[in-house]
Amino acid sequence: TDPRIEFVEDASEADAVFAHSGGGKYQVLKHQLVSWFAYEAALIKKDHLAATLRRAGLAHLAPITFDLETELDALLGFLAATDAHVILKPYDLGRSIGHSVTKSIPQILAYAAAGGYVAQRYVERPHALPTDSRGRKYDIRVVALLRSAAPLELYAHDHVYVRCANKAHSLSNLDDVEVALTAMHLVERDADYPTTSAFIEAFDKENPSRPWSSVMADVRATLRKAFAACATLHAGFASSTHSRAAYGCDFMLDADLKPLLLEVTFAPAPLWSSESMPARVDGVADDIFRTLFFGETARVTRC
């Protein structure tokens, strides 16, 4: 709703082309800003993100992840040594589409044969919602705003979207798809947490030695390292001078309150996937455009 921004029907008349999922259908002109970076697949495709972190020596920032097409032997060795569960995920789909939690070797081999999947170590001991007697797990969607890859100018919006499961976490009941896929819904829709602020207040009360602000400091540090690694490894990403992009970055806290980067998505849904989201947290959509295109930094923090 910022009065400085006017939306046009003809993309050739725009100063910036801001697309929901890539800009392939647009004939972008030399002077136009675009909402994607060259080689950003190194972040937003799950197999490439794992390779980026590993090559940069940052694999510890995420659950260990294997590409089923190229790293199946390493995965089988890992499972034999740890007896861990893994969550099978398509390279580039979201909203839990095609996901499965398992430690069944035949199932893993079937997914490997199908192609296009990674196996990520399942967070078997996730931190539960604070003060929640049901032991429900949750994850955190952080909106990351990238104005420049080199030098790195990256921000995270101060409002995070906390998404919680609707049933207790249990490794003994992974056949229940609502548990296995977590059936995440926004914490603001949960009776125990009418707002994200209420969640943070409960978190700080339960964890006085590890306040939410320190968790978010670690989250921003992780994002800074991941995006910087992508810029270091890919000259095209670093030299995308006409790019200004928004990303949805998902984290989960383990039982020791360490944030683990699960994945990075193009465009920060749920802002785009739900009509109620921009209105639910007033002004977030405007904040995104103001930060990306005007360099204004209200309600965002630099990573």
Side-chain angles (χ1 to χ4, degrees):
T1 61
D2 191 298
R4 294 170 293 179
I5 296 176
E6 177 185 353
F7 290 89
V8 296
E9 295 294 330
D10 185 351
S12 67
E13 298 176 358
D15 298 305
V17 177
F18 196 89
H20 168 65
S21 56
K25 68 179 181 179
Y26 298 104
Q27 187 67 42
V28 178
L29 305 178
K30 288 184 178 180
H31 73 279
Q32 291 177 320
L33 295 174
V34 296
S35 62
W36 56 91
F37 279 71
Y39 291 93
E40 66 180 5
L43 291 171
I44 63 177
K45 291 192 70 176
K46 300 177 185 70
D47 55 329
H48 290 194
L49 174 61
T52 296
L53 296 178
R54 186 164 53 248
R55 288 176 62 190
L58 299 173
H60 61 283
L61 298 179
I64 187 170
T65 304
F66 301 89
D67 184 340
L68 288 188
E69 291 189 9
T70 62
E71 300 172 316
L72 181 59
D73 285 349
L75 169 61
L76 295 177
F78 168 78
L79 292 174
T82 63
D83 195 37
H85 290 82
V86 294
I87 181 167
L88 305 172
K89 301 179 179 181
Y91 288 158
D92 55 1
L93 292 178
R95 293 174 294 162
S96 297
I97 297 172
H99 289 195
S100 180
V101 179
T102 187
K103 57 180 180 180
S104 163
I105 300 301
Q107 183 174 0
I108 290 169
L109 293 175
Y111 274 74
Y117 274 81
V118 299
Q120 185 175 79
R121 181 166 189 166
Y122 188 63
V123 181
E124 297 179 339
R125 296 176 56 248
H127 184 246
L129 282 167
T131 69
D132 182 70
S133 60
R134 287 173 283 177
R136 293 176 294 159
K137 63 191 284 188
Y138 64 94
D139 70 2
I140 310 159
R141 166 61 58 90
V142 180
V143 178
L145 305 172
L146 183 63
R147 282 179 51 83
S148 169
L152 186 67
E153 187 179 354
L154 176 69
Y155 301 88
H157 199 282
D158 293 337
H159 180 85
V160 299
Y161 297 90
V162 181
R163 303 176 297 189
C164 65
N166 60 6
K167 291 188 177 183
H169 173 69
S170 172
L171 289 175
S172 64
N173 196 24
L174 289 175
D175 288 337
D176 185 336
V177 73
E178 287 191 295
V179 176
L181 305 185
T182 70
M184 293 294 190
H185 64 277
L186 287 168
V187 75
E188 288 98 330
R189 296 173 185 163
D190 194 82
D192 294 335
Y193 306 98
T195 65
T196 299
S197 296
F199 163 84
I200 295 173
E201 181 180 353
F203 185 96
D204 286 349
K205 183 177 180 180
E206 184 178 272
N207 305 285
S209 63
R210 174 64 157 156
W212 185 254
S213 59
S214 71
V215 172
M216 289 308 301
D218 287 349
V219 164
R220 289 190 293 269
T222 293
L223 292 176
R224 181 176 65 250
K225 293 173 183 177
F227 279 79
C230 188
T232 299
L233 294 171
H234 299 287
F237 187 82
S239 61
S240 298
T241 55
H242 279 66
S243 300
R244 306 284 189 273
Y247 300 90
C249 306
D250 293 340
F251 288 83
M252 181 170 287
L253 270 62
D254 66 15
D256 298 320
L257 300 181
K258 176 186 176 181
L260 298 168
L261 177 60
L262 302 181
E263 58 188 73
V264 178
T265 64
F266 181 87
L271 276 176
W272 316 134
S273 62
S274 170
E275 292 181 359
S276 66
M277 281 313 303
R280 179 172 290 278
V281 183
D282 186 50
V284 169
D286 279 341
D287 293 338
I288 289 173
F289 283 82
R290 288 169 181 158
T291 298
L292 292 180
F293 299 123
F294 301 124
E296 299 174 2
T297 56
R299 303 211 304 174
V300 302
T301 300
R302 190 157 185 171
C303 296

